[in-house]
Amino acid sequence: MKRVLVYINLLLGFPAIVATAQSVEFIEGLKGLEKRADKSYYEFSYQSAASLYEELFKQDTTNKKVALKLGDSYRNLNMPKEASLWYGKVLKADSASAYGRYLLYYAESLMEMGEYNQAIKYFKLYQTSDEGNWISGRLGGLYNSENYFSDSAFYEINPISINTASYEFSPMIYKEGLVYLSNSNVRKIIQNNFKWDNTEYLDLFYTRIREGGEFDLPVSFSKSVNTKYHEGPATFYKNESKMVFTRNQYHKGKAVKSKDGITKLQLFFADNVNGSWSNITPYIHNSKEFSIGHPAIDEEGTILIFASDKEGGHGGSDLYYSTMMNGVWSEPINFGDKINTPGDELFPYLYRGTILYFSSNGHGGLGGLDIYSVVMGENELIEPVNVGAPLNSQRDDFGISRDSLGLTGFFSSNRNGNDDIFSFNVFPTRVHLKVFDAQTGATIDSYLLRAESSLGTKNELNGFGKAELVLQPGEGLHVRASSEGYVENSKIISGKLAAPGSVLEVEIGLQKKLQATADPLALIVNGKIYVGVGDKLKKTHIDDNGNLMVQNQATGVKLDQGDSPTQVNKKIADAGYLIDDPIIIENIHYDLDKFDIHLDYYDKLDHIVRVMSKYQNLRLSMNSYADSRGSDEYNLSLSEKRSQEAFDYLVKEGISESRIIPGFYGEYFPVNNCNNGIECDEEMHIMNRRTEFHFLID
C-alpha cells in the first residue's frame, strides 16, 4: 500500500528527486555512511535508506535516531513486521509521550500485524501526547473489533488473475472490464524507476472480463493519458464518454514542480472522441504547491470529490468536493470532521450518486487503511460506517468499485504482500414481495413500489405479481406500495437477522380507496371524524397503520400519532374533503328589534341546505338569541320569532321539519358580558343578536 503514499506525501519530481533546502543543509553537516543514508531518506529512496541505516546501526546499536529512521523507512516500504521491530527497539524501553508520532506509527504497525492488545497500549500512550487527542475513534474500533466481522459470511473474495509481482490497485469498472493502476512493465521499452522503492512509475491499464470471469491480457489504457511519470486513479461519467484521472503535474509534454522541487498530483479531464481519449484539460483548481487526486464524480458530472494534502485540512490527506456551477467548478470545500481525521482519507468512490466509499486510517478499523461508506444526505452526511471484514483486513484496503446492483465488485488490498486487486461477490438477502387487496386477500397484479434504503439509495419500480428486492448485508428498506384505486401502504424490511443468501417472504396489504361523493364533506365532532359516503356522513376510525377508515374502506387520509387538529384538517383537506366545524357554522345576526333574515345571511342558510340535502343522516340544532336591551319576556318572544323565521326558510328549501330542532333563549347565554345594566357598544350587542347552528349526526 505504500504505493498509496505516492498520493499522500509530497510526490517525487523528475528526472531525479530534488531534496528540500532544509534537508540539503542537514545532509551537508553529516559524514560518510550516515550522510548517504540520510540523503537517501530525504530523497524518499526508502529501500536504499533502510539498507544503509542497518549498516549504521551495526556500528552503534544504541542509536535511537537510526532505529526510528529504520522504522520509518520500513513503514514507508509497507513492511509492518520490520517497522514494528525497529520502532520497538526504542519504544519498548522508552515509551514516553514525547515520542509522539512514533508511538502512533508503532501502534499502527502492531495493528497491521494483528497484535491488537499491544497496539491498544501504544495508542493509549500516543493519546497522552500533545498530538494524540484525536485517537479515541481508533481505540474504540479496537475495543469492539468483533463488530467488523458480523457480515463477513455475506461476502466471497478472491484475488484476480491479472495480479503480478508488481502493484495492481484502484480498479474501476469500465465497459466490459476494468481500468486499474499498475507499475507492471508490460508496455515499457525504456525503464523509468521510481526511487521510493525502486519500482517503475504507475500507468493506467485495461483488461476485459470474459464470460466465466476470466480476464484478458491487460493493455495500456490510452497513449494520450499515460505518460512517462505517474498516472493515478481514474473514474468515468456521462455514460463513460468522459473521465477524470490523476497524474503528476505533466501536461503538453511539460512537468511543473513546486517550490521545493516536487511534481505534485493533479486532476485532468478527458473526452472519448471516436474511441480515443482526447481534449485533456486540467482541473481549474489544480496547484503546483499541493496534490489533488483520487477523483470520484457523479454520473451527471455535477459533483467532483477528491483527496488533497492542501493546507488547512484536518490531517495528512483530506477529502474535498467541488460542484459544477454555471459551467465552472466551484472552489473545493472540505468535507469536515465527520469524514476527515488527522490521519489520511483517500480513494473516494461515489456509488449511484448517494453512497460515498473512501479509505481512511484515522477512523476505527482493523488496521492500515480501511474502507468506509457514508450516505450523502440532501443537507448532511450520515456517520461513516466501516464496511467490515472480509473487504477490510489488518492491512491496507482501498479503491473499491461496485456493479450497478451492488452484488459484485472489486477492491485493492496489500493483505498478501503487494497491492493486488480482489473481486468480491455478495450473498444478499432476497425479498419476495406480494402486494394484495387487504379486504379480499387477492393479489394486486399492477402496482408501484418505492424503496428507500438505509444505505441512502432510492428505487422506484413497477411491479406485476410478485416483486423481488435485494438487501445488502445489514441493509434496511422502507418500502411503499401503491396501486390505482388503493391507499398507499408501507412496510419496514430489515436484513440484519437474515442469513446470507436467504429469502424473506413479505406481504403488503392495500385498502381500497373510499368512493366518496363529489365535493365530499368531513366533519370533526368532539375529536371524532365523519366523512361523506353516498348520502350519509359516516364515523371513521384509524387503523394500525394510521389510515383513516370507514368500516373497511380507506378514505385516502393517513394520520400520524400526535397530529394537531390543524394538521388533521390539512390532511383531510388535501385528500379532497371540505372541512366544516359543526360546533359553529357561521352564525347569522339581526338588526335591533328585528327577526327577519338579512340578505347577507341567506348564503349561510343555503350552505346548510346543501349539506343536509346531500347527507340524509344529518340533523340540525338551531338556537336563537336577543341582546339584553328590553324586558326578558320581550326578548324571549323576539328570539322565538328569529328561530321560526330560519326554521321556515330551511323547510321551504326542502329540509324536513323532523330533521330540525329549533330553540330560543331570549337574552340568556350572551357571548360576551353585555348583560342587563352593562353599557356596551353596538358591535357587542350585535354579537348577541344571533342564531347558532349545530350539526348532529345519527
Side-chain angles (χ1 to χ4, degrees), residues 34-46:
E34 185 176 6
K35 180 175 180 179
R36 289 164 53 206
D38 281 346
K39 184 175 187 296
S40 293
Y41 183 87
Y42 286 109
E43 289 181 347
F44 313 123
S45 297
Y46 295 116

Side-chain angles (χ1 to χ4, degrees), residues 445-509:
D445 291 327
S446 179
Y447 50 85
L448 177 67
L449 287 180
R450 296 183 180 89
E452 186 171 343
S453 167
S454 61
L455 301 180
T457 57
K458 295 180 181 180
N459 290 305
E460 186 173 294
L461 61 94
N462 291 306
F464 300 95
K466 275 194 172 183
E468 182 174 282
L469 303 175
V470 174
L471 285 177
Q472 297 291 327
E475 182 181 15
L477 287 179
H478 181 199
V479 180
R480 293 179 293 157
S482 59
S483 184
E484 184 67 31
Y486 290 87
V487 176
E488 182 182 278
N489 196 9
S490 66
K491 185 161 284 191
I492 301 294
I493 306 171
S494 174
K496 285 189 175 180
L497 301 179
S502 61
V503 176
L504 298 179
E505 301 288 344
V506 176
E507 296 184 345
I508 299 180

Side-chain angles (χ1 to χ4, degrees), residues 8 13 43 60 91 128 136 310 342 395 419 422 528 530 533-534 596 615 666 674 685:
I8 303 174
E43 289 181 347
D60 180 4
L91 299 176
T128 65
S136 57
K310 66 184 293 188
R395 303 298 297 277
D419 293 340
F422 291 76
K528 296 177 181 178
Y530 298 81
V533 182
D596 54 310
Y615 302 109
C674 291
H685 284 304

Side-chain angles (χ1 to χ4, degrees), residues 402-415:
R402 308 188 73 161
D403 73 343
S404 59
L405 295 177
L407 300 182
T408 63
F410 301 87
F411 69 102
S412 324
S413 178
N414 66 352
R415 64 188 66 186

